[in-house]
């Protein structure tokens, strides 16, 4: 497959999309360093604060599908400007909240705003590039989310040590406003929904073709695999090697860098290899092997961190091919389909948290390798079956 020069990509839009994705993801993920501080400040138990992750993920998944559908009705531009602006307001409200109840309420609303944004921004970037460049463009946007682990969490810890968790939320609100301004300047006024005849609405039945349904199910399996590793990798290192929080800094950074490297390299592969779903399936199958090694063989911390890097790189390697395949739907339902992808991803994250807790209570981390391996192979099989489905 021929590949157009990278310089023809809409870099201004991609940069704005990366900033928006970074702000959306940071609004929830970077809460991790402040769990104890928030619990003390709000006078609640720490596990209750930790459960804000599930609350945010649920709201994210519910609004992602609705936001995607609305973008196909009224156009993507209003959603992409309103959602991050509303997110900034919810972050300010959380920073000013005096009780855990109101923090939870505004965290849920903020998760909904972030969910409405992410699927639609993928649809907008997909629509602004030809299919031959879609893998790279989406890979760059996904890197904005990945940077949350490498940059967002350490930055939150650094600034939070000076301004506290409330001050950090105001910083993220500022990032979200910066994303609003960037998107306002880079988004075109024409978008899906504006050119549709009056009274015509996108059909959910038309959007949910057998191929799309198969890919969404495959995406749930892939996100569970990724979520199990991301959510529990730090705890796994602590339990296995008795590492302190400070000692975890480098392993977590290496792990996150593997995700970014895999996403960017995967974007290149998605545009250079003709069969994207086969690329995704091979990457998932290889990640199944890496997961078995990661959680069943751990001679020393350096080896485990290296294998963790390889695992998360292989997992991320197929993600741009998956997203580019999912985006290859008619323009009038692209927002709906990619919004549903956000919903399926949220289901995967919630499933990862639940399955991980059950697995630890049953047999510890030794069971993670076979579980992730099985789910990865199921995801690979689902991708291969989707190749045969009609669009």
């Amino acid at each position: 497959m021929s590949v157009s020069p990278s310089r023809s990509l809409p870099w201004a839009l991609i940069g704005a999309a990366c900033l928006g994705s970074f702000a959306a993801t940071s609004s929830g993920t970077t809460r991790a360093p402040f769990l104890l501080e928030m619990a003390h400040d709000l006078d609640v138990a720490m596990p209750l604060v930790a459960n804000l992750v599930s609350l945010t993920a649920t709201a994210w998944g519910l609004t992602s599908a609705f936001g995607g559908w609305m973008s196909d009705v009224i156009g993507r531009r209003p959603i992409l400007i309103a959602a991050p602006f509303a997110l900034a307001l919810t972050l300010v409200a959380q920073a000013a909240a005096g009780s855990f109840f109101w923090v939870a309420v505004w965290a849920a609303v903020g998760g909904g705003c972030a969910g409405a944004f992410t699927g639609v921004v993928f649809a907008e970037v997909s629509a602004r590039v030809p299919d031959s460049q879609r893998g790279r463009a989406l890979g760059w946007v996904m890197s904005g989310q990945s940077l949350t682990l490498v940059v967002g969490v350490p930055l939150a810890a650094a600034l939070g040590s000076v301004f506290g968790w409330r001050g950090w939320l105001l910083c993220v609100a500022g990032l979200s406003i910066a994303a609003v301004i960037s998107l306002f300047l880079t988004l075109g006024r024409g978008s899906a929904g504006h050119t549709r005849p009056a009274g015509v609405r996108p059909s959910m039945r038309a959007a949910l073709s057998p191929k799309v349904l198969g890919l969404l199910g495959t995406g749930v399996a892939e996100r569970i695999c990724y979520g199990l590793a991301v959510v529990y990798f730090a705890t796994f290192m602590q339990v296995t090697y008795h590492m302190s929080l400070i000692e975890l800094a480098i392993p977590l950074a290496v792990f996150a860098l593997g995700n970014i490297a895999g996403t960017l390299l995967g974007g290149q592969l998605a545009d250079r290899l003709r069969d994207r779903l086969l690329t995704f399936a091979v990457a998932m199958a290889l990640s199944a092997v890496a997961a078995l090694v990661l959680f069943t063989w751990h001679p020393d911390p350096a080896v485990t961190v290296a294998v963790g890097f390889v695992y998360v790189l292989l997992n991320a390697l197929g993600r741009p091919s998956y997203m580019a395949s999912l985006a290859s739907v008619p323009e009038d339902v692209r927002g709906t389909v990619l919004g549903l992808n956000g919903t399926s991803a949220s289901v995967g994250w919630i499933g990862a948290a639940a399955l991980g807790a059950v697995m630890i209570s049953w047999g510890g981390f030794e069971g993670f390798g076979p579980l992730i391996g099985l789910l990865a192979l199921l995801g690979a099989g689902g991708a291969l079956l989707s190749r045969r489905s009609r669009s």
Side-chain angles (χ1 to χ4, degrees):
M1 179 181 292
S2 62
V3 182
S4 302
S6 294
R7 62 177 177 272
S8 63
L9 289 172
W11 288 112
L13 173 62
I14 290 173
C18 284
L19 181 58
S21 298
F22 180 80
T25 309
S26 295
S27 65
T29 304
T30 56
R31 194 182 294 119
F34 306 117
L35 297 183
L36 291 175
E37 181 184 347
M38 291 178 68
H40 182 265
D41 188 0
L42 300 170
D43 195 25
V44 294
M46 191 272 287
L48 192 61
V49 178
N51 281 332
L52 289 175
V53 174
S54 297
L55 184 65
T56 301
T58 301
W60 187 307
L62 291 174
T63 59
S64 182
F66 179 73
W69 181 82
M70 281 298 298
S71 75
D72 287 337
V73 176
I74 65 174
R76 290 185 287 265
R77 182 182 169 89
I79 304 293
L80 292 176
I81 293 175
F85 181 77
L87 174 62
L89 295 180
T90 67
L91 291 166
V92 172
Q94 286 183 66
S99 67
F100 175 78
F101 173 79
W102 285 111
V103 169
V105 168
W106 290 117
V109 176
C113 295
F117 172 82
T118 49
V120 180
V121 80
F122 281 126
E124 178 66 15
V125 173
S126 297
R128 294 278 291 274
V129 298
D131 183 70
S132 61
Q133 293 181 314
R134 197 165 282 158
R136 283 173 292 161
L138 294 178
W140 278 107
V141 177
M142 282 185 276
S143 71
Q145 298 175 323
S146 302
L147 281 172
T148 306
L149 296 177
V150 180
V151 178
V153 174
L155 188 63
L159 294 180
S161 65
V162 178
F163 302 110
W165 66 274
R166 297 178 188 273
W168 170 248
L169 289 178
L170 295 177
C171 292
V172 180
L175 287 174
S176 193
I177 292 297
V180 172
I181 297 172
S182 300
L183 289 163
F184 180 82
L185 295 175
T186 56
L187 286 172
R189 294 192 178 276
S191 177
H194 291 301
T195 58
R196 182 178 287 107
V200 178
R201 294 291 181 266
S203 168
M204 186 67 73
R205 182 176 181 179
L208 296 178
S209 66
K211 180 177 181 178
V212 168
L213 285 173
L215 287 175
L216 291 175
T218 297
V220 172
E222 184 273 334
R223 285 292 90 180
I224 292 177
C225 293
Y226 177 72
L228 281 168
V230 169
V231 172
Y232 291 103
F233 183 71
T235 306
F236 166 67
M237 294 295 291
Q238 287 176 307
V239 170
T240 305
Y241 298 111
H242 308 289
M243 301 179 74
S244 66
L245 288 176
I246 295 179
E247 292 171 329
L248 279 173
I250 293 178
L252 292 179
V254 171
F255 191 82
L257 287 172
N259 187 46
I260 294 176
T263 298
L264 297 180
L265 179 58
Q268 296 289 330
L269 292 178
D271 291 341
R272 283 173 165 76
L273 301 179
R274 186 176 301 275
D275 196 330
R276 286 169 171 162
L277 288 180
L278 179 60
T279 301
F280 173 78
V282 171
M284 289 299 292
L286 292 175
S287 74
V289 177
L292 286 172
V293 177
L294 175 62
F295 289 103
T296 58
W297 181 64
H298 26 78
D300 61 67
V303 171
T304 298
V305 172
V307 176
F309 177 89
V310 172
Y311 167 74
V312 75
L313 184 146
L314 290 171
N315 178 276
L317 200 64
R319 187 72 180 171
S321 291
Y322 168 83
M323 290 294 293
S325 297
L326 198 60
S328 297
V329 294
E331 171 69 12
D332 60 344
V333 295
R334 184 175 287 133
T336 302
V337 170
L338 292 178
L340 287 169
N341 173 67
T343 302
S344 68
S346 294
V347 172
W349 278 101
I350 295 170
L355 284 173
V358 171
M359 187 61 63
I360 290 173
S361 66
W362 280 357
F365 287 104
E366 296 297 323
F368 271 50
L371 175 61
I372 294 176
L374 175 62
L375 289 170
L377 291 177
L378 288 175
L384 294 177
L385 289 175
S386 296
R387 295 167 70 215
R388 303 174 181 272
S389 301
R390 61 181 176 86
S391 300

